[in-house]
Amino acid sequence: MPNQDWLPAAVRAKAGERKLKPGETLFRQGDRPMSFFEITSGRVRLSRVDRSGREVVLYIAGAGETIAEASLFSTVYHCDAIASAAATVRAYPKAALLAAFDKDRKAAQAFSATLARQVMNLRTRIEQRNIRSARDRVRHYLSVNAGGDGRSVTLTGTLKDLAADLGLTHEALYRTLAALVRSGEIKKGRGTITLLRGRKV
Amino acid sequence: MPNQDWLPAAVRAKAGERKLKPGETLFRQGDRPMSFFEITSGRVRLSRVDRSGREVVLYIAGAGETIAEASLFSTVYHCDAIASAAATVRAYPKAALLAAFDKDRKAAQAFSATLARQVMNLRTRIEQRNIRSARDRVRHYLSVNAGGDGRSVTLTGTLKDLAADLGLTHEALYRTLAALVRSGEIKKGRGTITLLRGRKV
DNA sequence: CGAGTGATTGACTTAGATCAATGACCGTGG
DNA sequence: CCACGGTCATTGATCTAAGTCAATCACTCG
């Protein structure tokens, strides 16, 4: 789990860990934010309850992700956070963080930079979802995430995870990859996919 | 067009406007970033060229959006920006902005807050795309975007725009809305959709 | 060694994309 | 003032890619 490297050491030192049972609440809409969180394992969903009492899921965060960044600048949380599965989270105290940003503008900049990069990544993921064809979606993913050599993509998680990222069922992804392998467009290795040649346009 | 209200007045004063013809380049990958941009009209696409020479679109930004926030903290742009249609952009000088953040930490905070909110919005939009059924996708959209009363949603653009936002064809959206109206779940007004009652769960 | 999960492939179904046509509306230029 | 070109809104018909259900095999982990 890559720790939040942009966090000032002083803040990291003050972090507390908390374990959540499935269904347990981390915070509720309207609560006063005391910390923001990094999820070290499990799953936490952010949701709101609509007028008719139904829960509307805003986001499901997994291990390695941070949530409630926005609440650093707000006096209340704008949604609930509930563990979807057993989870452990690291809580970084809001006060310490804001103080660090005040003192050390490098730290504040690092935070902004992280957010800005995240915005770009998310935008790209949305753009990806605008591609209807599974095949082209996978192609787009591979092109965008090709490493330095522009040819190979290292898979972080399982193919099932990737499928979820791409908004495909895992079956659809397997089939699409298989087709691309058959057509000689890619090669699959252990945790790696290599682009062989683009098809003629 | 809601101007970027979080921008310090000093920076806004220094902004320059630029008009782009379709296909004209705003900046190129590798260029040194001198400004970041707000699109006041038209469309600008951010893209990279992959190893095989194909253009990979990372994002298409429309009027009201800002791009290249991340380049404020980078020494080079990481993608190209090209007008997809005639566009006008407002350029905010990077140096002035960073200087303002240095001097005025309120301004820096406002920037972070804007980014953090954007991150949350984008995450929610991705979550929305994970919903496969057009009907449930629309329901999710309506629930999330219901105004203060929790019942009515004000449409900003056309229904076609909304369809694109939701990742549906406009035909699919029309049909889905028509079905929801027929079933008495919503009501359509001029630029407004009102939730009438939730269906039984 | 069994339970749980990932990877993979087959068969079938369907929701939504695609193609197509129409009417309403709006600005604009003669 | 009206005709015309453009876009939005809407609905119908058709098709297909991807979802769904299902089964198998390979691993890994207590």
Side-chain angles (χ1 to χ4, degrees), chain B:
Chain B
M1 318 288 120
N3 256 27
Q4 306 309 115
D5 49 354
W6 52 270
L7 276 174
V11 175
R12 244 180 298 175
K14 291 216 186 85
E17 196 141 290
R18 176 162 169 202
K19 287 190 186 308
L20 299 168
K21 287 189 237 305
E24 198 176 339
T25 298
L26 181 56
F27 57 78
R28 288 220 168 271
Q29 180 168 11
D31 287 357
R32 200 141 65 81
M34 303 305 287
S35 359
F36 97 114
F37 303 93
E38 174 192 358
I39 300 176
T40 47
S41 79
R43 246 157 230 302
V44 174
R45 71 175 184 275
L46 304 178
S47 57
R48 290 205 303 246
V49 175
D50 70 8
R51 193 50 62 103
S52 61
R54 249 187 307 279
E55 180 184 15
V56 182
V57 176
L58 301 180
Y59 188 61
I60 298 175
E65 294 187 272
T66 54
I67 57 176
E69 295 92 336
S71 65
L72 288 172
F73 309 105
S74 165
T75 56
V76 294
Y77 287 113
H78 292 267
C79 58
D80 302 338
I82 302 167
S84 293
T88 88
V89 301
R90 193 161 299 146
Y92 298 99
K94 170 175 171 171
L97 200 45
L98 289 179
F101 289 166
D102 253 23
K103 252 195 291 291
D104 176 6
R105 66 184 134 69
K106 278 275 173 222
Q109 269 205 11
F111 181 59
S112 293
T114 303
L115 288 174
R117 233 171 295 120
Q118 247 181 99
V119 166
M120 189 59 211
N121 281 338
L122 289 166
R123 284 175 178 172
T124 299
R125 286 183 58 184
I126 288 193
E127 204 57 44
Q128 184 167 81
R129 296 294 186 99
N130 286 339
I131 302 172
R132 313 233 189 250
S133 141
R135 177 173 287 218
D136 289 341
R137 200 126 114 200
V138 170
R139 282 189 182 124
H140 184 269
Y141 170 82
L142 294 174
S143 296
V144 169
N145 295 87
D149 63 352
R151 314 194 124 264
S152 54
V153 179
T154 310
L155 304 177
T156 50
T158 67
L159 284 179
K160 284 183 86 162
D161 293 341
L162 176 57
D165 260 25
L166 291 175
L168 298 171
T169 58
H170 56 278
E171 295 100 320
L173 176 61
Y174 292 140
R175 282 191 246 269
T176 305
L177 288 176
L180 290 175
V181 168
R182 260 197 308 280
S183 77
E185 201 171 323
I186 65 169
K187 213 180 57 162
K188 281 207 298 180
R190 317 192 48 50
T192 299
I193 297 179
T194 312
L195 285 154
L196 293 182
R197 58 138 193 275
R199 74 252 110 92
K200 43 234 126 211
V201 181

Side-chain angles (χ1 to χ4, degrees), chain A residues 11-22:
Chain A
V11 175
R12 246 182 293 175
K14 291 214 186 85
E17 196 140 290
R18 177 164 169 200
K19 285 187 187 309
L20 299 168
K21 286 188 237 304

Side-chain angles (χ1 to χ4, degrees), chain A residues 145-167:
Chain A
N145 295 87
D149 64 351
R151 314 192 125 262
S152 54
V153 180
T154 309
L155 303 177
T156 52
T158 68
L159 284 177
K160 284 182 86 163
D161 294 341
L162 176 57
D165 260 26
L166 292 175

